[in-house]
Amino acid sequence: MFGRKPIFKEEAVLAGIRAGGTQRRKAEALLYDRYGYLISKGKTKHFLNQEQATDAYADAVIAVVDHIARGSFRTENKISTLLHQIFFNKCVDVLRKKSNKDNWSWMPENMALPDKANNVLKTLIEREEVEVLVAFMEKLGKSCKEILWNSIYHGYSAKEIAENMGFSNAASVMSQKSTCLKKLKSLIARKKVD
């Protein structure tokens, strides 16, 4: 059985990283290989080149490994959820740096988000306010931020989010998402008044 990839088991990766040494290096390699598809997502969703997407992904994996090694990773969460969030943030960091250089030419004019409820996010992006959006998302709280990132950025269905975050069903996720979007709109409205 030449070329067979090792099976990715989250518990084994967590234990390997925490063990250190050779086990940690093997676990890191498994983690890096398992979610390597994010590099192409970074290229298509964030319009990064290969080097930028690869660097952002490597930085995200390093951050996840650091969370696990320090003991700040909660085992009721999934590694993939944390990695997706950190990778998104790393891509946004690249875009921030890039925006200072080329004046937002990376943003396509016809960029579309999945549903009408997300228009507030699209408006912020169209107005070149990605940094503002990230700041607002940080103020929403962990649960709201995770639901919106998973839904809007990653395109996960309500059912997938329910399974990953421990909600009882997809309807609960949709209700929470609606509440989170209302909070986000309220934060944006208050900023406009200030």
Side-chain angles (χ1 to χ4, degrees):
M1 303 221 177
F2 297 101
R4 187 172 182 193
K5 287 187 175 182
I7 296 173
F8 182 88
K9 292 186 179 175
E10 193 154 313
E11 301 81 24
V13 169
L14 291 170
I17 290 170
R18 290 176 182 141
T22 305
Q23 288 181 320
R24 177 175 172 159
R25 285 191 296 279
K26 286 179 182 178
E28 289 171 352
L30 273 174
L31 179 62
Y32 187 89
D33 290 343
R34 173 67 174 91
Y35 298 103
Y37 65 87
L38 288 175
I39 294 170
S40 62
K41 267 192 169 185
K43 289 168 56 180
T44 57
K45 287 195 173 199
H46 294 286
F47 308 100
L48 302 178
N49 64 35
Q50 180 70 33
E51 182 181 353
Q52 291 167 327
T54 302
D55 287 349
Y57 178 67
D59 289 346
V61 170
I62 290 167
V64 168
V65 168
D66 186 50
H67 277 314
I68 294 167
R70 281 191 329 235
S72 61
F73 177 76
R74 295 188 338 218
T75 54
E76 66 267 14
N77 294 331
K78 290 188 175 259
I79 294 174
S80 61
T81 303
L82 179 62
L83 181 59
H84 279 86
Q85 288 173 341
I86 292 174
F87 178 65
F88 173 82
N89 291 336
K90 296 292 183 185
C91 289
V92 170
D93 289 344
V94 171
L95 293 176
R96 283 184 192 143
K97 289 175 188 170
K98 187 176 177 183
S99 70
N100 293 334
K101 292 179 184 172
D102 62 12
N103 200 22
W104 295 82
S105 63
W106 58 270
M107 186 67 70
E109 291 179 25
N110 62 349
M111 184 172 176
L113 291 170
D115 63 57
K116 291 179 184 178
N118 300 325
N119 283 342
V120 72
L121 301 178
K122 183 178 179 188
T123 300
L124 283 172
I125 291 168
E126 287 173 347
R127 289 184 185 160
E128 303 174 357
E129 297 180 9
V130 173
E131 288 181 34
V132 173
L133 173 61
V134 171
F136 283 135
M137 294 290 271
E138 290 298 324
K139 292 180 181 181
L140 291 176
K142 186 177 188 273
S143 180
C144 275
K145 186 172 86 171
E146 194 169 342
I147 288 169
L148 292 176
W149 283 151
N150 285 331
S151 171
I152 296 162
Y153 172 71
H154 299 298
Y156 291 145
S157 69
K159 182 180 177 189
E160 290 170 320
I161 294 169
E163 290 169 2
N164 288 335
M165 292 184 65
F167 282 88
S168 57
N169 55 44
S172 298
V173 172
M174 294 304 292
S175 173
Q176 184 68 28
K177 179 182 173 186
S178 175
T179 301
C180 294
L181 284 169
K182 286 176 187 171
K183 285 182 185 178
L184 181 61
K185 288 177 185 178
S186 173
L187 285 170
I188 292 166
R190 275 190 263 152
K191 181 194 181 267
K192 288 179 182 175
V193 171
D194 293 344

